[in-house]
Amino acid sequence: MPRDVSRVTAPTEQRHPGTVAIDSEPTLQVLQRINADDALVAPAVERTLPELARLVDRAVDAIRGGGTVHYFGAGTSGRLAVLDAAELLPTFNVPEGLVVAHHAGGPAALLRAVEDVEDDAEQGAADAREVRGGDVVIGLAASGRTPYVAGALRRAREVGAVTALVTANPRAELAPLADHLIAPDTGPEVLTGSTRLKAGTAQKMVLNAFSTAVMIRLGRTWSNLMVDLVATNAKLRGRVLRILQEATDADEEAAQAALEAAGGELKPALLSMLAGCPADEARAALDAHQGSVAAALADLSGGGSSPTAATGGRPS
């Protein structure tokens, strides 16, 4: 029997006028054409930053209110969502389930294409059954019309969650389902329809910026240091010591002693050094201030009475 055919109208499906002869060009020229198009991505993402900032602030409010951030995507978009959510755990020590990625077709579709899963709007809605009114749901669809994402966004709308769409199509079909439209206009791909190129790069940049900004706003950094990272290997254990030294101007021996007193936890060790207090007092202050070193330090130091406490290793 003939299969259903969908003709997608999107910038990513248009033929690139500058690469029609790319298959007959020397290797270096092929790479130069790809690179030249890649250079268009950052400016396209930059134009979306005001709307992305609004989404970040709503996500921070949602998380502080007990909500969850959900990503929904298929194909490259879904894989990028899974990557971003997975990397938040070791980088920022986020609780499991705080940022959840839903990929059309499940784990089996991460490594190989699974037939028709992105066309299943009902499955998108089913995968969004755990979404609640206080959550944020971000759909990722380069073309702006993926049915799986549509099903998830509709379900999110029904329960009152905040919705967003990250797409490479400024006139996305799914835009009416999104409270926030993040649409870097990256134009036609070097290879027509290959959204793992510019569109995928734009989506990764958006997700990187979104999740990093959310973590910063939630107090999971101190200055520009990753003070919530999980030291799962020798390199990261060395980074933990370096962060303590850079933030406090202490030597390695003092940093190691503070870390041991804090049970190996970087954040209370850092705060105890900055505020000159025991690790258990630092941990209690962090708990009282939603994990923010800056807020806890201001409380413990009365605004920062010593140069170290006031600057915390920051340029003054």
Side-chain angles (χ1 to χ4, degrees):
M1 294 180 63
R3 296 178 180 272
D4 292 338
V5 175
S6 177
R7 295 194 177 274
V8 178
T9 301
T12 56
E13 299 299 316
Q14 296 170 1
R15 199 170 181 189
H16 196 307
T19 62
V20 292
I22 196 169
D23 60 332
S24 62
E25 293 175 341
T27 301
L28 178 58
Q29 192 167 347
V30 170
L31 294 173
Q32 287 171 334
R33 290 197 184 279
I34 294 171
N35 183 250
D37 255 38
D38 285 344
L40 304 176
V41 177
V45 171
E46 182 182 15
R47 291 188 285 272
T48 72
L49 295 184
E51 190 63 29
L52 185 57
R54 287 186 277 272
L55 177 60
V56 166
D57 288 341
R58 294 193 75 174
V60 170
D61 289 343
I63 291 171
R64 285 179 173 157
T68 296
V69 174
H70 297 267
Y71 298 151
F72 286 87
T76 296
S77 299
R79 294 182 186 100
L80 290 169
V82 170
L83 177 64
D84 190 77
E87 289 182 340
L88 296 181
L89 275 71
T91 306
F92 297 105
N93 196 21
V94 301
E96 189 170 347
L98 188 70
V99 179
V100 181
H102 307 264
H103 185 235
L110 288 173
L111 296 179
R112 63 182 67 226
V114 177
E115 194 169 309
D116 292 334
V117 292
E118 75 171 58
D119 297 325
D120 195 340
E122 291 184 1
Q123 189 59 53
D127 287 353
R129 278 178 302 203
E130 65 190 77
V131 173
R132 299 293 179 262
D135 294 346
V136 173
V137 171
I138 301 175
L140 296 108
S143 66
R145 48 81 56 198
T146 307
Y148 173 83
V149 173
L153 290 176
R154 288 194 187 97
R155 162 67 185 172
R157 271 285 175 88
E158 288 171 3
V159 300
V162 173
T163 59
L165 177 66
V166 180
T167 178
N169 185 356
R171 292 166 292 282
E173 181 181 319
L174 301 185
L177 296 176
D179 300 316
H180 301 275
L181 177 63
I182 314 297
D185 189 358
T186 52
E189 298 287 7
V190 166
L191 296 180
T192 307
S194 182
T195 54
R196 60 184 287 272
L197 298 175
K198 285 188 299 184
T201 300
Q203 286 181 325
K204 187 173 193 308
M205 289 180 70
V206 167
L207 287 175
N208 275 352
F210 167 78
S211 58
T212 301
V214 167
M215 294 299 117
I216 291 170
R217 294 270 69 85
L218 288 173
R220 290 186 173 271
T221 63
W222 166 248
S223 181
N224 59 355
L225 301 173
M226 296 184 293
V227 295
D228 253 323
L229 68 85
V230 180
T232 56
N233 56 45
K235 179 188 75 172
L236 294 180
R237 286 189 287 273
R239 183 179 293 168
V240 165
L241 281 174
R242 188 170 67 249
I243 286 172
L244 279 176
Q245 291 180 256
E246 289 177 348
T248 63
D249 294 327
D251 60 28
E252 183 173 339
E253 184 179 357
Q256 184 67 59
L259 193 62
E260 290 174 2
E265 292 183 63
L266 173 55
K267 244 182 179 179
L270 171 61
L271 183 58
S272 70
M273 294 181 76
L274 292 174
C277 68
D280 56 351
E281 185 179 344
R283 188 175 285 109
L286 287 167
D287 290 341
H289 292 280
Q290 299 179 306
S292 170
V293 174
L297 178 61
D299 186 10
L300 289 173
S301 64
S305 57
S306 70
T308 300
T311 63
R314 306 172 192 239
S316 57

